[in-house]
Amino acid sequence: MSTLFVEQLTVIDCAYLDAERGLVGESWIVDVELEGDLDHQSMVLDFGEVKRRLKRAIDAGMDHTLLVPTAAPELSLSAHDGMVELLFRSELGAIEHRSPAIAVTSVAAAEVDQAAVTAHLQTQLKPILPANVARLGLRLRHERIDGACYQYVHGLKKHAGQCQRIAHGHRSRLEVRVDGQRDAALEQEIALAWTDIYLATREDTVARANGRVRFAYDAPEGRFELALPEPHIDWLEGDSTVERIAEHLSWVVRARRPRAAVEVRAYEGVMKGGLARLPAGA
């Protein structure tokens, strides 16, 4: 048999529920190996077909969804009329979520980790491979980040695509330059403050009481609702796009480094993001 490999076939930007950490944003790079007999083209599978079949299935399935561990004792879950409602009792407090079913991925495990997600993907992807492929190898890995990173969850109600989902997220690097020089200590300070954070748009807030905040909005896919403990949240004045995030963080840096020239590169997952600059003295 022969083996074909594709590194970084795609990136899964998602959120998941964790008993200790609560609601967590994540970005997993997906590498694949296909082992099998050569076809009439002397290939295991054409690279274009790998993208058409596997990448498309991942991007249209798990990507930009909330991953829910269906065997977790902390979970209560119900589904009806195309909607999914859940309550998850994490150590940080209860998390409530209601959305169209397309925005949720059920993972048959007690916790969401790379092994459980890999097993889920194996089950989903094997049926769409041609008969000559005998083995599908999958590896989920994090981007190597030599410095600060933060993991956030958000939703963009105005987005026509998958980003409209109220609970999807990213694992993102952060670069801060003050007067042209990287400030690693400040990067770490900001990233620590945004550990497992939900970045909320103020106008999406519908209730706030007893240390909990509820968000809701209508988007092209349907109605989305999310309730979280308040310490899990930070607010942005506008939409939580990565451009707005970079702009927001540039002013956070300016507050700590008055009158310096500031540059913030805020990533959204892997190899993409927003850039904001403030000139010296502004």
Side-chain angles (χ1 to χ4, degrees), residues 170-191:
H170 313 273
R171 176 182 182 267
S172 303
R173 72 167 68 222
L174 175 65
E175 296 178 6
V176 173
R177 287 177 172 80
V178 178
D179 290 332
Q181 301 297 315
R182 284 282 296 273
D183 192 326
L186 188 50
E187 290 172 356
Q188 291 290 353
E189 179 185 337
I190 293 171

Side-chain angles (χ1 to χ4, degrees), residues 96-117:
E96 299 172 67
H97 179 267
R98 184 176 186 270
S99 76
I102 196 173
V104 173
T105 297
S106 296
V107 178
E111 61 179 337
V112 174
D113 56 19
Q114 286 161 292
V117 174

